[in-house]
């Protein structure tokens, strides 16, 4: 997934498995970032950011259960179960390796997973970066979310859309995608963000039709230690502006290091 040596780790808990694509940095003091993709997507959503992050820390890009290279479960998986699995992975494979709590980055549905971790498992994150949070009040229906995603797809880079289509239709498959989209629509990020102890940075692309500016600002206001930022691009801002995302992660790492001293 990048030019640096990497490995794939399978982490099963009960009937669910998360697959992590891990690239270790050897040039800096050990610290980590965990990248969590959106609905229908996979770790490949961060393919342009990963090579830029590796010089600064260890990168763990996960495939949630049923997405990417992770096996499809035999049941429906709500956001809270995804969050518990990723938190367990962080505890065993990152904290258990002697590293400090990582920065968690979520995109789209991944913001809901990261938000849930920040609220329920505060030891598993030093900070959360929420890129393109979905499903604000007033838009929680399949037609409205589908319309926004379709409007966004028109302006996204073709390469990004090609990766997403393969992940959603071939690797994830449509029935599981629809079942997971139901959880995206139902989840209330505004209820979990106020419970976050760690700093939260809420991010949107400047031309994102999915995550509106008022919603991003509201989530940042609700977080006890929240702020909002804007990157270039649309909903997949981490693909359009990977350097901007890397700068936010480095800033979060540095702030966590200052807090630990």
């Amino acid at each position: 997934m990048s030019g640096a040596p990497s490995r794939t780790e399978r982490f099963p808990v009960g009937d669910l498995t998360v697959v992590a694509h891990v690239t270790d940095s050897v040039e800096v003091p050990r610290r980590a970032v965990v990248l969590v993709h959106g609905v229908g997507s996979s770790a490949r959503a961060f393919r342009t950011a990963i090579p830029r992050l590796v010089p600064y820390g260890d990168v763990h890009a996960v495939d949630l259960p049923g997405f990417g290279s992770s096996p499809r479960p035999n049941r429906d998986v709500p956001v809270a179960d995804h969050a518990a699995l990723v938190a367990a992975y962080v505890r065993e494979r990152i904290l258990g390796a002697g590293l400090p709590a990582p920065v968690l980055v979520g995109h789209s549905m991944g913001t809901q997973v990261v938000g849930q971790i920040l609220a329920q498992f505060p030891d598993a994150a030093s900070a959360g970066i929420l890129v393109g949070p979905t499903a604000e009040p007033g838009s929680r229906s399949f037609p409205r979310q589908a319309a926004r995603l379709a409007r966004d797809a028109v302006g996204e880079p073709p390469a990004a859309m090609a990766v997403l289509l393969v992940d959603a239709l071939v690797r994830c498959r449509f029935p599981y995608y629809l079942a997971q989209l139901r959880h995206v629509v139902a989840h209330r990020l505004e209820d979990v963000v106020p419970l976050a102890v760690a700093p939260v940075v809420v991010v949107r692309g400047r031309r994102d039709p999915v995550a509106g500016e008022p919603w991003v600002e509201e989530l940042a206001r609700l977080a006890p230690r929240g702020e909002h930022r804007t990157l270039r691009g649309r909903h997949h801002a981490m693909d359009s502006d990977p350097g901007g995302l890397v700068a936010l992660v480095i800033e979060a790492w540095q702030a966590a290091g200052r807090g630990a001293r």
Side-chain angles (χ1 to χ4, degrees):
M1 198 165 295
S2 75
S6 60
R7 65 185 186 278
T8 299
E9 296 189 3
R10 294 172 60 90
F11 184 77
V13 176
D15 63 340
L16 299 179
T17 298
V18 66
V19 173
H21 307 275
V22 185
T23 311
D24 296 324
S25 176
V26 296
E27 299 179 7
V28 296
R30 295 292 299 280
R31 55 193 182 185
V33 59
V34 178
L35 308 175
V36 185
H37 61 81
V39 67
S41 189
S42 74
R44 299 197 303 162
F46 294 95
R47 68 197 182 285
T48 61
I50 290 171
R52 293 169 170 85
L53 282 165
V54 168
Y56 303 101
D58 299 350
V59 180
H60 298 248
V62 303
D63 289 334
L64 296 172
F67 298 104
S69 55
S70 181
R72 191 175 302 110
N74 294 320
R75 64 175 176 90
D76 198 13
V77 185
V79 169
D81 287 8
H82 286 301
L85 181 60
V86 174
Y89 172 85
V90 167
R91 285 170 171 163
E92 181 165 322
R93 301 295 172 87
I94 297 178
L95 303 184
L99 273 67
V103 173
L104 304 185
V105 179
H107 171 248
S108 201
M109 184 188 86
T111 67
Q112 297 171 320
V113 175
V114 169
Q116 202 75 36
I117 295 172
L118 294 171
Q120 289 188 274
F121 309 101
D123 64 311
S126 62
I129 299 175
L130 312 182
V131 183
T134 53
E136 77 271 26
S139 73
R140 289 178 176 140
S141 72
F142 278 16
R144 289 178 180 175
Q145 288 298 306
R148 291 186 179 193
L149 290 169
R151 192 161 73 248
D152 176 65
V154 172
E156 292 282 5
M161 289 298 96
V163 168
L164 180 59
L165 282 174
V166 170
D167 281 340
L169 300 180
V170 179
R171 304 178 86 197
C172 166
R173 298 190 182 175
F174 201 55
Y176 188 71
Y177 173 87
L178 286 179
Q180 290 292 286
L181 187 59
R182 180 167 58 86
H183 293 298
V184 171
V185 171
H187 189 269
R188 297 172 59 89
L189 196 51
E190 71 271 23
D191 288 346
V192 297
V193 164
L195 304 177
V197 176
V200 178
V201 184
V202 191
V203 182
R204 70 182 295 268
R206 193 175 304 279
R207 296 179 290 113
D208 185 351
V210 179
E213 190 170 3
W215 173 232
V216 167
E217 292 177 350
E218 175 68 5
L219 288 174
R221 185 190 66 79
L222 289 171
R225 301 169 65 188
E227 58 181 302
H228 61 87
R229 301 287 184 86
T230 302
L231 298 180
R232 297 193 308 273
R234 297 171 69 85
H235 190 53
H236 294 254
M238 72 287 185
D239 191 68
S240 301
D241 190 3
L245 178 63
V246 171
L248 293 178
V249 173
I250 293 173
E251 184 179 316
W253 270 327
Q254 292 172 340
R258 289 192 297 270
R261 287 196 287 269

